[in-house]
Amino acid sequence: MNPDRDAVRDRYAAAARRALAGEETGLLAGAGDADRLGAVHYAGEEIPESVAATSLGCGNPLAVADLRPGETVLDLGSGGGLDVLLSARRVGPAGRAIGLDMTDEMLALARRHVEQAGVANAEFVKGAIERIPLPDASVDVVVSNCVIALSSDKRAVFAEIARVLCPGGRLGITDILADETLTDAERADRAGAVECLGGALTAGGYRDLLREAGFVGVDVRLTHEVGDKLHSAIIRARCRAPEVD
């Protein structure tokens, strides 16, 4: 058992059950949460209202992923399926969009949203981001929205991303990062919509772990504040391609 993972699973499963019942998720209930998190980052996108209402992320990873027709894209922690739905549209019928989530309730919610949208090239699988249930070198792009920060084993997450990406594959994500000045005591005292984020990495820590996993071209940029000494960031990187003789 992993207490941190169990707490995250229970929290998001409960939110999905509320959404399946036609209620608000209850996750963006803090002061100003809706201005910093969720569908606010998808202005201009055509998103069904029911899907937008279940968006809980801290940015829009598709704005930095540069998806292309025919590609296979994997969304880690796909939640209600928003980024899978938009990814499927971008990669077109020749491509695939795969959502990975560890909660049955979120998977049910996402499948409902995709079916309602009439999208045929999207699918969802159950699993943990620390142990992705996909073959080696099977996807072109990995995206994620405010999920990796919730993992208690980020080194394993980055190693798994590197494993499933094709050589030269791309990482385009948004995540929550901690300020360099965040103390241990402050990490233990997170509240509101970001209460599970005491283990958020700093920008330097993020770069180091990605490079350790074999990524190149690592770019980490803070975008906006989501809590006291916590920031949303966009992260880009590439999986190292084999050298050609």
Side-chain angles (χ1 to χ4, degrees), residues 7-187:
V8 172
R9 180 191 289 113
D10 292 347
R11 176 178 168 82
Y12 286 91
R17 286 193 294 270
R18 288 191 289 268
L20 286 165
E23 304 170 5
E24 293 185 2
T25 63
L27 291 183
L28 301 183
D33 284 349
D35 296 325
R36 300 187 298 261
L37 304 168
V40 65
H41 299 292
Y42 293 84
E45 298 278 6
E46 293 185 13
I47 306 170
E49 184 177 346
S50 61
V51 181
T54 61
S55 175
L56 308 170
C58 58
N60 179 355
L62 304 189
V64 301
D66 188 28
L67 300 183
R68 303 159 191 167
E71 290 187 319
T72 296
V73 55
L74 170 65
D75 179 19
L76 299 182
S78 48
L82 171 58
D83 291 316
V84 173
L85 175 60
L86 295 178
S87 295
R89 291 175 180 170
R90 282 168 168 74
V91 300
R96 295 170 65 205
I98 305 168
L100 173 68
D101 205 278
M102 66 177 177
T103 61
D104 292 321
E105 293 88 348
M106 277 296 183
L107 290 168
L109 181 63
R111 288 176 179 132
R112 176 200 281 183
H113 287 158
V114 166
E115 182 179 357
Q116 290 173 340
V119 173
N121 61 329
E123 59 193 88
F124 296 90
V125 295
K126 184 178 180 179
I129 62 176
E130 298 86 358
R131 193 171 182 178
I132 300 172
L134 293 178
D136 296 357
S138 57
V139 301
D140 301 297
V141 185
V142 169
V143 300
S144 187
N145 192 353
C146 195
V147 170
I148 296 174
L150 298 172
S151 173
S152 60
D153 191 354
K154 297 173 183 61
R155 181 173 276 105
V157 175
F158 296 140
E160 279 291 272
I161 294 173
R163 179 185 66 79
V164 300
L165 275 174
C166 297
R170 309 185 306 283
L171 174 67
I173 64 179
T174 56
D175 208 0
I176 289 183
L177 274 61
D179 192 274
E180 299 282 355
T181 64
L182 188 67
T183 66
D184 291 342
E186 290 170 328
R187 284 181 179 276

